[in-house]
Amino acid sequence: MRHEIWLAALTDELRRHGVGPDLAAHVVAEAAGHLRDSGEPPLRAFGPPSAYAAAVADSVGGPALSTRSSVGPVRLRAVDISKRYGRRTVLSGVSLTVHAGQVAAVVGANGSGKSTFLRICAGLVGADGGHVELHGTVGYCPQAGGTADFLLAEEHFALIGAGRGVPRSAAAREGARRAAALDWVPGDAQARHLSGGTRQKLNLVLAGLGDPEVLLLDEPYQGFDRGTYLDFWHEVWRWRDAGRAVVVVTHLLNQLDRVDIVLDLSAGGAGVAA
Amino acid sequence: MAVLACSTVDQDRRAQWLRGVLDLCVLGLLARGDSYGYELAQSLQSAGLGTIQGGTLYPVLLRLQRSGLVTVYWREGGGGPARKYYTISAAGLAVLGEAAGQWAAFAGGVGAIIQERTAR
Amino acid sequence: MNQTMTIAEMTLRETVRRRGVLVLLLVLPLAFYLGRRGDHLGQSIRFVCLGLAWVLSAAALFVGSSARSLEPRLRLSGYRTHQLFLGRLLALWTLGLLLSAPYFLLIRFDQHNVRYGAIAVIMLLGVLVAPLLGLALSALLPRDLEGMLVLMTVVGLQMILDPAGNAARLLPFWFSREIGTYAIDHTSVGYFDRGLLHAAVTALLLLVLVAVAFGVRLRRRPHVKIVGGLS
């Protein structure tokens, strides 16, 4: 692999792993100098760009979390939600409050009711008890589905955009921009011809289209490779910095220290957000 | 002759040993004078530690920098772009001094045990 | 209005990309027509009208079923429920008109001694009612397989049952055979009037069914209160 290509890939990967731009520039310059001096091929000297970037990010301790002293108004308030399917109680007495500029993670074992809780918050499924307040528009990304097999990506953007009152050209631009953040260029393929991971990227882009105040994401990273998974979390933090309220259902715990609220549903379906 | 001995030692074990001592070795080299990445790698190799790849060395340097044991500055190269030079700090010297003593005791104990076996 | 038209446009785009559905729409009625052309006068006309209605219902069924997974998201994006089903109906009605036109011309030049005006009316009413039936079935039945079975039963019965009998009037396309009798056999205008009334009532009932089924499925749940957003 030629130096320039490897170094460019390294720049990308450092950004993805949350290394600040100044440090990233230094790391790349130092690596370039080392390659010049040693004359070694980059893959032998440093390994794949993603691995080296991960090692660098590890050594540096990850991106600095901007501490927020003040959060915005309440965007989602779920109080005492309970849900039964037949005789099985899936949720009982679950509450969650998310303000603008906060990220909440809903965790729990399989079957603990995470998806159900999110669908109840979105209003797609009825609750047997409790109520939900939503302040603003809502974007929802299911684990799978939510796209039309025979439409192109751009047509999806136009369709969702029209619902939110966004003109077609603006919706197309916004869709392309959000897709680029997930390292995807929407082409002319129908949704049914996209790979599973790419289809989920479409799903995620559609959830954020029109800039809703509340984002409800149900483990939307199915089929994402490692790089895109990191991109996804960058999008989540960007949404947070932009003052949106984000709720992510996830069972992968290693990103938990970057969220503001954790709602653990594994204890028999009851939980109050910490 | 130490270099010749390297090739017969198991690569995995060598990597494990290096993981434990590489930062101290780097500090040791920097105590003799400022240096930059590639030069350090070459010094480590000629000291008998084998080939140290950039992907291993630079993260170690970053960690040392982050914990304040080394400081950095950029020096313009003669015919090329600037190089990042590392200087050992006072804290680094202190850590190095303490570790040197600990290592001597540790390595001595290990050597004694191993040598007894081969002596049979 | 723009939102309804967007739904209609996207439904049309979707449908023309579904090769299987297109082949069904274009070929099946023709097969019906040619299959009966040798029979006594007018059988091919009756069958092609029925065939057209059937394939349009099937197309509506597929459209409705495949749209289900998208509908919750569309609701959350701000579409009202009536915009969703009206948009789809508009697309299907347009498709029906485009599909029926060449067949009308075919009948116009191939068949003689029949009341062309009445035949045009049959086709128009078929275009009106068929998508309503298909969309209603997709809204009521969870999978398109069950819907297809119901459709096949309906059309099968339509062909078997004697139109003069009472049971036949319960079938959604009875008007097609009734007005067909007027157009082909040159009977009294009473047949035409009865057929027209049947079509109007059927269309209205199916529209109400569609509206209620969609409304129930996509209703805003009572436990959710939206403050300051779209309702």
PDB file of all heavy atoms in Angstrom, chain C residues 51-64:
ATOM      1  N   GLY C  51     -61.389  -9.577 -15.363  1.00  0.00           N
ATOM      2  CA  GLY C  51     -59.944  -9.767 -15.223  1.00  0.00           C
ATOM      3  C   GLY C  51     -59.242  -8.479 -14.839  1.00  0.00           C
ATOM      4  O   GLY C  51     -58.358  -8.460 -13.973  1.00  0.00           O
ATOM      5  N   LEU C  52     -59.639  -7.394 -15.500  1.00  0.00           N
ATOM      6  CA  LEU C  52     -59.039  -6.100 -15.163  1.00  0.00           C
ATOM      7  C   LEU C  52     -59.277  -5.751 -13.696  1.00  0.00           C
ATOM      8  O   LEU C  52     -58.368  -5.313 -12.983  1.00  0.00           O
ATOM      9  CB  LEU C  52     -59.645  -5.003 -16.051  1.00  0.00           C
ATOM     10  CG  LEU C  52     -59.059  -4.852 -17.441  1.00  0.00           C
ATOM     11  CD1 LEU C  52     -59.917  -3.887 -18.254  1.00  0.00           C
ATOM     12  CD2 LEU C  52     -57.640  -4.355 -17.359  1.00  0.00           C
ATOM     13  N   ALA C  53     -60.513  -5.952 -13.275  1.00  0.00           N
ATOM     14  CA  ALA C  53     -60.830  -5.623 -11.890  1.00  0.00           C
ATOM     15  C   ALA C  53     -60.018  -6.480 -10.939  1.00  0.00           C
ATOM     16  O   ALA C  53     -59.511  -6.002  -9.919  1.00  0.00           O
ATOM     17  CB  ALA C  53     -62.331  -5.814 -11.647  1.00  0.00           C
ATOM     18  N   TRP C  54     -59.872  -7.737 -11.302  1.00  0.00           N
ATOM     19  CA  TRP C  54     -59.149  -8.636 -10.402  1.00  0.00           C
ATOM     20  C   TRP C  54     -57.681  -8.266 -10.285  1.00  0.00           C
ATOM     21  O   TRP C  54     -57.144  -8.205  -9.181  1.00  0.00           O
ATOM     22  CB  TRP C  54     -59.302 -10.083 -10.904  1.00  0.00           C
ATOM     23  CG  TRP C  54     -58.695 -11.064  -9.971  1.00  0.00           C
ATOM     24  CD1 TRP C  54     -58.809 -11.081  -8.614  1.00  0.00           C
ATOM     25  CD2 TRP C  54     -57.880 -12.158 -10.321  1.00  0.00           C
ATOM     26  NE1 TRP C  54     -58.115 -12.134  -8.096  1.00  0.00           N
ATOM     27  CE2 TRP C  54     -57.549 -12.819  -9.116  1.00  0.00           C
ATOM     28  CE3 TRP C  54     -57.424 -12.677 -11.531  1.00  0.00           C
ATOM     29  CZ2 TRP C  54     -56.748 -13.953  -9.100  1.00  0.00           C
ATOM     30  CZ3 TRP C  54     -56.636 -13.817 -11.506  1.00  0.00           C
ATOM     31  CH2 TRP C  54     -56.294 -14.437 -10.293  1.00  0.00           C
ATOM     32  N   VAL C  55     -57.007  -8.018 -11.434  1.00  0.00           N
ATOM     33  CA  VAL C  55     -55.574  -7.715 -11.325  1.00  0.00           C
ATOM     34  C   VAL C  55     -55.358  -6.387 -10.612  1.00  0.00           C
ATOM     35  O   VAL C  55     -54.379  -6.205  -9.895  1.00  0.00           O
ATOM     36  CB  VAL C  55     -54.871  -7.722 -12.697  1.00  0.00           C
ATOM     37  CG1 VAL C  55     -54.911  -9.087 -13.308  1.00  0.00           C
ATOM     38  CG2 VAL C  55     -55.428  -6.678 -13.617  1.00  0.00           C
ATOM     39  N   LEU C  56     -56.282  -5.448 -10.803  1.00  0.00           N
ATOM     40  CA  LEU C  56     -56.129  -4.175 -10.107  1.00  0.00           C
ATOM     41  C   LEU C  56     -56.287  -4.368  -8.605  1.00  0.00           C
ATOM     42  O   LEU C  56     -55.570  -3.766  -7.802  1.00  0.00           O
ATOM     43  CB  LEU C  56     -57.161  -3.187 -10.641  1.00  0.00           C
ATOM     44  CG  LEU C  56     -56.793  -1.710 -10.558  1.00  0.00           C
ATOM     45  CD1 LEU C  56     -55.448  -1.449 -11.194  1.00  0.00           C
ATOM     46  CD2 LEU C  56     -57.868  -0.883 -11.242  1.00  0.00           C
ATOM     47  N   SER C  57     -57.213  -5.232  -8.206  1.00  0.00           N
ATOM     48  CA  SER C  57     -57.347  -5.533  -6.776  1.00  0.00           C
ATOM     49  C   SER C  57     -56.081  -6.180  -6.244  1.00  0.00           C
ATOM     50  O   SER C  57     -55.612  -5.852  -5.156  1.00  0.00           O
ATOM     51  CB  SER C  57     -58.512  -6.491  -6.527  1.00  0.00           C
ATOM     52  OG  SER C  57     -59.697  -5.967  -7.016  1.00  0.00           O
ATOM     53  N   ALA C  58     -55.527  -7.118  -7.038  1.00  0.00           N
ATOM     54  CA  ALA C  58     -54.313  -7.790  -6.577  1.00  0.00           C
ATOM     55  C   ALA C  58     -53.181  -6.784  -6.430  1.00  0.00           C
ATOM     56  O   ALA C  58     -52.436  -6.807  -5.448  1.00  0.00           O
ATOM     57  CB  ALA C  58     -53.929  -8.892  -7.564  1.00  0.00           C
ATOM     58  N   ALA C  59     -53.052  -5.888  -7.424  1.00  0.00           N
ATOM     59  CA  ALA C  59     -52.008  -4.869  -7.334  1.00  0.00           C
ATOM     60  C   ALA C  59     -52.192  -4.027  -6.083  1.00  0.00           C
ATOM     61  O   ALA C  59     -51.238  -3.728  -5.364  1.00  0.00           O
ATOM     62  CB  ALA C  59     -52.025  -3.993  -8.586  1.00  0.00           C
ATOM     63  N   ALA C  60     -53.443  -3.660  -5.804  1.00  0.00           N
ATOM     64  CA  ALA C  60     -53.722  -2.859  -4.615  1.00  0.00           C
ATOM     65  C   ALA C  60     -53.363  -3.624  -3.348  1.00  0.00           C
ATOM     66  O   ALA C  60     -52.845  -3.061  -2.389  1.00  0.00           O
ATOM     67  CB  ALA C  60     -55.195  -2.452  -4.587  1.00  0.00           C
ATOM     68  N   LEU C  61     -53.635  -4.926  -3.373  1.00  0.00           N
ATOM     69  CA  LEU C  61     -53.300  -5.756  -2.214  1.00  0.00           C
ATOM     70  C   LEU C  61     -51.799  -5.744  -1.958  1.00  0.00           C
ATOM     71  O   LEU C  61     -51.340  -5.536  -0.825  1.00  0.00           O
ATOM     72  CB  LEU C  61     -53.789  -7.180  -2.466  1.00  0.00           C
ATOM     73  CG  LEU C  61     -53.502  -8.212  -1.381  1.00  0.00           C
ATOM     74  CD1 LEU C  61     -54.302  -7.902  -0.140  1.00  0.00           C
ATOM     75  CD2 LEU C  61     -53.846  -9.609  -1.880  1.00  0.00           C
ATOM     76  N   PHE C  62     -51.020  -5.943  -3.032  1.00  0.00           N
ATOM     77  CA  PHE C  62     -49.564  -5.960  -2.853  1.00  0.00           C
ATOM     78  C   PHE C  62     -49.056  -4.596  -2.400  1.00  0.00           C
ATOM     79  O   PHE C  62     -48.182  -4.494  -1.539  1.00  0.00           O
ATOM     80  CB  PHE C  62     -48.864  -6.357  -4.162  1.00  0.00           C
ATOM     81  CG  PHE C  62     -49.182  -7.749  -4.599  1.00  0.00           C
ATOM     82  CD1 PHE C  62     -49.337  -8.053  -5.940  1.00  0.00           C
ATOM     83  CD2 PHE C  62     -49.337  -8.774  -3.681  1.00  0.00           C
ATOM     84  CE1 PHE C  62     -49.638  -9.333  -6.358  1.00  0.00           C
ATOM     85  CE2 PHE C  62     -49.631 -10.059  -4.082  1.00  0.00           C
ATOM     86  CZ  PHE C  62     -49.792 -10.345  -5.422  1.00  0.00           C
ATOM     87  N   VAL C  63     -49.584  -3.550  -3.001  1.00  0.00           N
ATOM     88  CA  VAL C  63     -49.159  -2.202  -2.619  1.00  0.00           C
ATOM     89  C   VAL C  63     -49.428  -1.970  -1.136  1.00  0.00           C
ATOM     90  O   VAL C  63     -48.581  -1.483  -0.392  1.00  0.00           O
ATOM     91  CB  VAL C  63     -49.886  -1.146  -3.480  1.00  0.00           C
ATOM     92  CG1 VAL C  63     -49.849   0.214  -2.819  1.00  0.00           C
ATOM     93  CG2 VAL C  63     -49.276  -1.077  -4.851  1.00  0.00           C
ATOM     94  N   GLY C  64     -50.629  -2.338  -0.719  1.00  0.00           N
ATOM     95  CA  GLY C  64     -50.981  -2.118   0.679  1.00  0.00           C
ATOM     96  C   GLY C  64     -50.111  -2.916   1.625  1.00  0.00           C
ATOM     97  O   GLY C  64     -49.657  -2.401   2.648  1.00  0.00           O
TER      98      GLY C  64
END
